[in-house]
Amino acid sequence: MSNNVLSLNDLVVRYGSYEALHGVSVNFSGGCLGLLGANGAGKSSMLRSILGLIRPHSGKVSIFGQDVAKHGMQLRARIGYMPERDSFIGSISGVRGIAHLAQICGIPADDAMLRAHDVMHFVGLGEERYREVETYSVGMRQRYKLAAALAHDPDILFLDEPTNGLDPKSRERMLGLIERVTSEHNIHLVLASHLLPDVERLCDQVWVLDEGNLKQSATVAELTTAARGAKRVRVDYQQAQQFNDCAQNNNYIIIPGKHVGEFIVSRDEEIVTSPMMFELAEVAKTKLLGVHPAARSLEDAFLEALES
Amino acid sequence: MTFKAAEYQRYSGPRSGIPAWVPLAELTLSRGWKSKWVRRITSLSLMQGAVMMIIMYALNQVVPSWRELTQQIGVIAGGDSDDFVIDAGVYLVLLKLFVNPVLLPLSLLFGYDLISKDIETNALDAYFSRPISPLSYILGRSAAFVGFLMTATFGPMLLVWISDWATSSDTHFQQIAIVPFGMFWSLLLISVTLSLLVQAITTITKSGLWTNISFVFIFIVVSILANIIFAITGNSDVLALSILHNTGVVCEYALNEIPTNSQLFKSSPNVSIMVMLTTSLVSFLIVYRGLKRRTFLG
């Protein structure tokens, strides 16, 4: 049996003639995984096929080493899913709905009700737990979905855009809740989001999806420190070309930055230091306005992965 | 486990082996009972049974031979003595009294938004990401639905029958022995058909309002249509297109009280039963197909 928490093997998902996922093969060994991709990249299709909500055209999905197609029912008791769209049991109170869903996962009725109260308090809906979910605001509904995903104590959480539609304060609160659950209770997390700061904050591993293809699978650390040893340099914009030419003549790898006069400067198998940059500016007879370590953000890595 | 824990805690208790459809059936019952009209009709139905039981008991205490007396009064009134015997025929009247004013409205009030509500609130995603299969889902919903309809109709009728049997002689028992089984299977068949039909309609329409409209359309318009076709073709089996007609035929057949009057046009019981079973099967397949689109597991 594999030690991977989640394994996809040549997964193809089709909706009629449209192929949403083109043979994705990748493993997740545990921890917090971010599924990154623009809208329509195939994140939700991937999540729904992992959960058995849509039938993959071909390929295999395994969770905790067990084939979802064969052991899906047993696995679902260990999975917590928070869908992107609203999802709740209508015409009953929030706490009753969550207890009911926990019961379906095999928690005895009394314990299910106690846990429903607990998770409602945990997500900050203690005061509203007897209200029908129809009357909840957007932020409350997002927290309700998280509570429902947690009530039966899953071993892995699949969260589809959990901060959608939330104001900054509610978003911060939601991220805090997810962070606490995953870091303090050893619950694996698969977070599908197009919000890079959310993924950067919560996840240690990232899969980048684009038009149904897996573009990259790496740790967040690997992606953001890929430019380690390079320097982000700013020179007077009128002397930018001059600096560029001189750097190339001196065997530096130079990539233009976001603004005119900004460059990422690196050298093969050598760490670029600030004195080296001052020296280069002197040779190029240019005015150096700033030298900083060139750490990449996840956004840079994401865009680069898409372009590749 | 602490109550009002602000921190998340892992669950360390046992997991129950209760099938997933059981909590779903419980929830369906409690949701159905929330409807004011469901409560009113059910209470009225149960009260009707209880009142009849009390009347029968009181009659038996005051006039122990009231059954013979009824027959004699019937003869004096100019009827045949057989017409006034308390037998399965009387229970047939009672059965129809429970089927039309109780069972039909209850089935609509109880089930008009069962699945459409789950589609509207996307609850099906919540269910099918948990260990419940479409079959278990249908079983949970239908068990509660049919159980409720049976309690509201068969329950009071059984009360009446028990009090009748308990206060009568052995010879009277021979006349009403067929009643409990006959009532049970006819009500079960009608309840199963109605519950699956309502669920199928609600799956297709995805709206409580349109389920109501479609249900009424099926009952009224199809009945009228069946009568028109019968008038044209003269084939009484065509009447089996009407569910309303079939409920009557099934009740008569179950209590072995098929009218001998050839002027009363009825479809053959076998055809009616077949139509009801087919309706149930087709309705089940519609619901199952609708749910199966939302999960491939189970």
Side-chain angles (χ1 to χ4, degrees), chain A residues 48 52-54 73 76 85-88 91 100 106 108 111 115 118 122 132 148 152-155 180 185, chain B residues 1-2 5-11 14-16 34 117 121-123 125 127-128 130-131 294-296:
Chain A
R48 293 176 72 79
L53 295 175
I54 49 173
M73 282 296 160
R76 280 175 175 181
R85 288 191 297 156
D86 276 347
S87 174
F88 56 89
S91 310
H100 169 65
D111 286 353
R115 273 196 72 81
D118 278 351
F122 173 67
E132 287 186 7
H152 58 284
D153 190 26
D155 293 323
R180 275 158 67 191
H185 297 282
Chain B
M1 194 182 299
T2 54
E7 281 303 316
Y8 180 77
Q9 291 180 21
R10 302 286 321 236
Y11 177 68
R15 302 256 171 181
S16 75
K34 274 182 82 175
K117 189 82 178 174
T121 61
N122 200 24
D125 264 7
Y127 279 124
F128 294 136
R130 288 174 172 78
R294 292 169 182 270
T295 176
F296 76 92

Side-chain angles (χ1 to χ4, degrees), chain A residues 9-180:
Chain A
N9 191 3
D10 203 18
L11 185 68
V12 177
V13 174
R14 280 188 189 161
Y15 300 104
S17 59
Y18 175 73
E19 196 164 291
L21 281 180
H22 315 290
V24 174
S25 296
V26 66
N27 295 317
F28 168 50
S29 54
C32 297
L33 169 71
L35 270 184
L36 280 178
N39 292 327
K43 303 187 297 288
S44 295
S45 293
M46 182 182 271
L47 277 192
R48 293 176 72 79
S49 60
I50 289 170
L51 292 162
L53 295 175
I54 49 173
R55 185 187 288 278
H57 178 262
S58 61
K60 190 177 149 186
V61 179
S62 304
I63 300 176
F64 300 117
Q66 290 185 301
D67 187 352
V68 169
K70 286 179 190 160
H71 307 283
M73 282 296 160
Q74 297 95 300
L75 282 169
R76 280 175 175 181
R78 299 177 66 187
I79 290 172
Y81 173 51
M82 176 179 172
E84 184 180 2
R85 288 191 297 156
D86 276 347
S87 174
F88 56 89
I89 317 288
S91 310
I92 57 171
S93 67
V95 72
R96 177 87 174 84
I98 289 181
H100 169 65
L101 292 172
Q103 261 186 284
I104 285 178
C105 292
I107 308 279
D110 292 345
D111 286 353
M113 187 49 86
L114 274 173
R115 273 196 72 81
H117 282 283
D118 278 351
V119 289
M120 291 288 269
H121 278 287
F122 173 67
V123 300
L125 290 175
E127 296 297 317
E128 292 82 15
R129 63 193 192 276
Y130 294 113
R131 272 169 55 185
E132 287 186 7
V133 186
E134 281 99 329
T135 65
Y136 286 4
S137 66
V138 175
M140 287 158 75
R141 284 183 189 201
Q142 290 292 77
R143 280 185 278 149
Y144 170 83
K145 283 193 287 177
L146 179 66
L150 288 170
H152 58 284
D153 190 26
D155 293 323
I156 183 166
L157 269 178
F158 290 89
L159 310 182
D160 198 355
E161 309 280 5
T163 54
N164 252 10
L166 298 183
D167 59 66
K169 195 178 163 192
S170 308
R171 180 173 158 268
E172 180 56 35
R173 186 174 189 171
M174 173 64 81
L175 293 176
L177 289 172
I178 299 169
E179 204 166 27
R180 275 158 67 191

Side-chain angles (χ1 to χ4, degrees), chain B residues 67-68 141 153 207 262:
Chain B
R67 289 180 184 82
E68 290 77 32
R141 290 282 190 225
T153 51
S207 141
S262 60

